[in-house]
């Protein structure tokens, strides 16, 4: 009876988040990577729904993923989990920022590229006018609308492709910041827990 009770207690013991071997950790990371990479490989302009997807995945990963206890060494479980966690968070941040980077001149200036994309938009407008020139004598409003639509799509696709090329840099930068911050916090917490003379934080009453 004692052995059976002990075995049941071991099997029914809850698994703490962040403990190595927790299947939920790999599941969260895998779902985040699959969803983000699927959307990142999609063609076309970066729309605001990408920001929603990136922010949602970021919230899921931050809420449900916990790093294991800090341990020294590059081959430790903590180091491996920290690298995976930082890269996935950086990727989600990059996806969430992509629509803003594409449209914001102060966050992502790229002045030469933006002027080239505008020239491409004017070229597409002229091409549309040449292809639909017979509409000028029938419906000038329809022709102008078609020109604006083609020009807008050309500029958006041009800016989106340039933004995609720069996204790895933004994602890697975010990953470095996240990794450095998490490492600093975990090391400080480990040292505080190991030092019995360290003052404990006071509770605000």
């Amino acid at each position: 009876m004692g052995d059976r009770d002990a075995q049941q207690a071991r099997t029914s013991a809850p698994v703490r988040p962040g403990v190595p071997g927790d299947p939920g950790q790999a599941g969260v990371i895998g779902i985040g990577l699959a969803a983000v990479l699927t959307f990142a490989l999609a063609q076309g302009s970066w729309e605001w729904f990408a920001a929603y997807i990136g922010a949602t995945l970021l919230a899921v990963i931050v809420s449900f993923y916990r790093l294991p206890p800090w341990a020294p060494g590059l081959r430790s479980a903590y180091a491996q989990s920290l690298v995976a966690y930082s890269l996935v968070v950086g990727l989600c941040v990059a996806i969430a920022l992509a629509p803003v980077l594409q449209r914001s001149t102060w966050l992502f200036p790229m002045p030469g590229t933006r002027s080239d994309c505008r020239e491409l938009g004017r070229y597409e407008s002229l091409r549309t006018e040449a292809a639909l020139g017979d509409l000028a004598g029938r419906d000038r409003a329809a022709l102008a609308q078609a020109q604006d639509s083609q020009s807008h799509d050309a500029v958006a696709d041009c800016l989106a492709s340039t933004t995609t090329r720069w996204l790895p840099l933004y994602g890697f930068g975010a990953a470095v910041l996240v990794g450095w911050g998490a490492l600093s916090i975990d090391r400080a917490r480990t040292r505080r827990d190991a030092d019995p003379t360290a003052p404990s934080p006071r509770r605000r009453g």
Side-chain angles (χ1 to χ4, degrees):
M1 293 294 294
D3 295 340
R4 182 178 300 176
D5 293 340
Q7 184 178 2
Q8 291 178 355
R10 287 195 299 269
T11 56
S12 61
V15 180
R16 294 180 303 164
V19 176
D22 182 4
Q25 305 298 309
V28 171
I29 291 292
I31 292 173
L33 274 176
V36 171
L37 289 178
T38 300
F39 193 85
L41 294 177
Q43 301 294 325
S45 176
W46 288 102
E47 301 298 336
W48 291 109
F49 191 57
Y52 177 79
I53 293 178
T56 301
L57 293 174
L58 184 63
V60 170
I61 293 172
V62 171
S63 299
F64 292 98
Y65 188 85
R66 295 295 180 269
L67 291 171
W70 178 80
L74 296 178
R75 295 185 178 181
S76 63
Y78 176 83
Q80 297 175 5
S81 299
L82 180 62
V83 171
Y85 176 78
S86 302
L87 291 177
V88 172
V89 170
L91 189 58
C92 291
V93 170
I95 298 300
L97 287 178
V100 184
L101 294 175
Q102 177 180 329
R103 294 165 175 82
S104 176
T105 56
W106 63 270
L107 185 61
F108 193 26
M110 54 177 186
T113 301
R114 291 191 182 276
S115 60
D116 292 342
C117 290
R118 285 192 291 269
E119 292 293 334
L120 180 61
R122 281 193 284 269
Y123 171 73
E124 288 296 328
S125 177
L126 293 175
R127 275 195 11 170
T128 304
E129 183 179 6
L132 303 176
D134 56 337
L135 287 179
R138 301 179 182 178
D139 193 340
R140 290 186 176 273
L143 177 60
Q145 184 176 2
Q147 288 180 284
D148 291 341
S149 177
Q150 292 297 325
S151 176
H152 177 271
D153 292 343
V155 173
D157 291 342
C158 178
L159 293 176
S161 62
T162 305
T163 302
T164 302
R165 287 196 295 268
W166 282 91
L167 277 185
L169 179 61
Y170 281 80
F172 182 75
V176 170
L177 292 177
V178 170
W180 178 80
L183 178 61
S184 301
I185 294 173
D186 291 340
R187 290 182 64 179
R189 182 185 296 114
T190 301
R191 291 174 181 176
R192 185 178 63 248
D193 294 341
D195 187 3
T197 62
S200 58
R202 297 180 180 179
R203 295 181 179 178
R204 296 182 179 180

